Amino acid sequence: MSSSAGLIIPCKAAVAWEAGKPLVMEQVEVAPPQALEVRIQIKYTSLCHTDLYFWEAKGQTPLFPRIFGHEASGIVESVGEGVNDFQVGDHVLPVFTGECGQCRHCKSEESNMCDLLRINTDRGFMLNDGKSRFSIDGQPIHHFLGTSTFSEYTVVHSGSLAKINPLAPLDKVCVLSCGISTGLGSTLNVAKPKQGSTVAIFGLGAVGLAAAEGARIAGASRIIGIDLNPKRFEEAHLLPFHLDFSAKKFGVTEFVNPKDQDRPIQEVGISLLILHEN
């Protein structure tokens, strides 16, 4: 058991006090995990456009003060009552679309939209008791997506964690629980391309590259990448992670730039398929 288990942990967190205003590094208090909750020490966190969108509070209900962040990696510090799948020291990724494991969606092969832990951007408190685990001088600070990784410590529902291999580099895998899983999962679990099939992917950012990887794993013979930036096909990008994220490395076999075409890209795609079949 962790020496800090059951105790309030003071730590640093980047707090958004108002919409669109700079985040402020604050000393926050992180309460112990309650039943079916896990407190984790965040080792690395990255920035997703979703964080930016809700920080700007454009087109949704503002909820401040708040600790944003949902792409991260960390280590379990302590667990609450009833948590059996995780123990102190486990390496984990917070997941903003969790799985309770019991509802109709979790038991279905066609959906992961858990009745309990599906994404809810308006919820700023924990499900267990409707309270926050973050506070500053007694003032509650709202959670975000059930993860709030812009903090040195955070508390999440145990169904919103994925255990990973402790040998995996935490500074790299922090991006896996959002954009990568979205693209990979969409291909393997929803599109389900057959062996030898042709797949077209629009946009070769993190999600698109992950979709390409899923198509490669599924055995697609042709993976057509469609993007306005030709450099994404051959060159590494997605810095500052310093990863060789060229589309070719992720299985993309052909590249199409809509700017180079004089027809709608859908017609170009159909022509490519006809040529392939003939």
Side-chain angles (χ1 to χ4, degrees):
M1 179 179 293
S2 168
S3 60
S4 53
L7 303 176
I8 292 174
I9 294 180
C11 70
K12 294 290 186 180
V15 179
W17 289 99
E18 298 180 58
K21 296 295 180 65
L23 306 185
V24 180
M25 292 301 299
E26 301 278 13
Q27 180 91 346
V28 301
E29 293 186 331
V30 185
Q34 301 302 306
L36 298 180
E37 295 176 357
V38 178
R39 186 163 62 183
I40 59 178
Q41 181 183 18
I42 297 296
K43 289 296 187 180
Y44 295 90
T45 186
S46 54
L47 176 66
C48 176
H49 189 269
T50 301
D51 299 308
L52 175 63
Y53 180 77
F54 284 92
W55 166 73
E56 292 175 328
K58 295 180 179 178
Q60 79 280 147
T61 304
L63 192 60
F64 296 93
R66 203 169 202 181
I67 297 175
F68 288 103
H70 61 280
E71 294 184 338
S73 58
I75 299 175
V76 172
E77 175 273 335
S78 59
V79 300
E81 180 183 355
V83 176
N84 300 313
D85 295 334
F86 300 95
Q87 59 185 4
V88 175
D90 282 345
H91 287 208
V92 292
L93 303 179
V95 180
F96 60 86
T97 299
E99 295 183 6
C100 70
Q102 302 299 321
C103 72
R104 58 196 174 96
H105 288 289
C106 287
K107 293 181 178 180
S108 168
E109 295 182 356
E110 303 301 327
S111 170
N112 70 333
M113 297 303 291
C114 175
D115 285 334
L116 180 67
L117 298 173
R118 72 175 57 189
I119 184 171
N120 184 338
T121 58
D122 291 332
R123 186 173 64 235
F125 300 107
M126 298 300 291
L127 288 168
N128 188 299
D129 55 6
K131 297 180 180 180
S132 175
R133 302 293 175 258
F134 300 110
S135 64
I136 297 178
D137 296 327
Q139 177 184 0
I141 308 297
H142 292 98
H143 292 251
F144 179 63
L145 298 182
T147 52
S148 290
T149 61
F150 291 173
S151 176
E152 292 179 317
Y153 286 86
T154 190
V155 177
V156 304
H157 191 284
S158 60
S160 294
L161 277 182
K163 189 185 302 184
I164 61 173
N165 189 322
L167 298 179
L170 292 176
D171 61 332
K172 302 295 192 299
V173 298
C174 62
V175 300
L176 291 181
S177 64
C178 182
I180 305 302
S181 59
T182 299
L184 191 75
S186 295
T187 305
L188 294 178
N189 300 325
V190 180
K192 299 178 181 178
K194 303 297 183 182
Q195 182 84 22
S197 60
T198 297
V199 175
I201 296 170
F202 289 77
L204 298 176
V207 175
L209 292 180
E213 176 69 4
R216 185 193 65 79
I217 292 172
S221 61
R222 297 177 73 212
I223 304 174
I224 304 170
I226 302 166
D227 199 288
L228 298 176
N229 184 355
K231 292 183 178 180
R232 289 187 167 184
F233 184 50
E234 297 277 0
E235 300 178 11
H237 65 294
L238 292 186
L239 298 177
F241 298 104
H242 305 292
L243 302 178
D244 189 356
F245 274 13
S246 62
K248 271 190 172 181
K249 289 288 183 70
F250 279 74
V252 175
T253 58
E254 301 164 55
F255 178 79
V256 176
N257 187 341
K259 290 182 177 179
D260 298 335
Q261 310 300 321
D262 57 4
R263 294 176 295 164
I265 195 65
Q266 294 90 336
E267 294 181 12
V268 176
I270 292 173
S271 298
L272 286 172
L273 291 175
I274 292 174
L275 287 173
H276 175 66
E277 293 300 328
N278 293 334

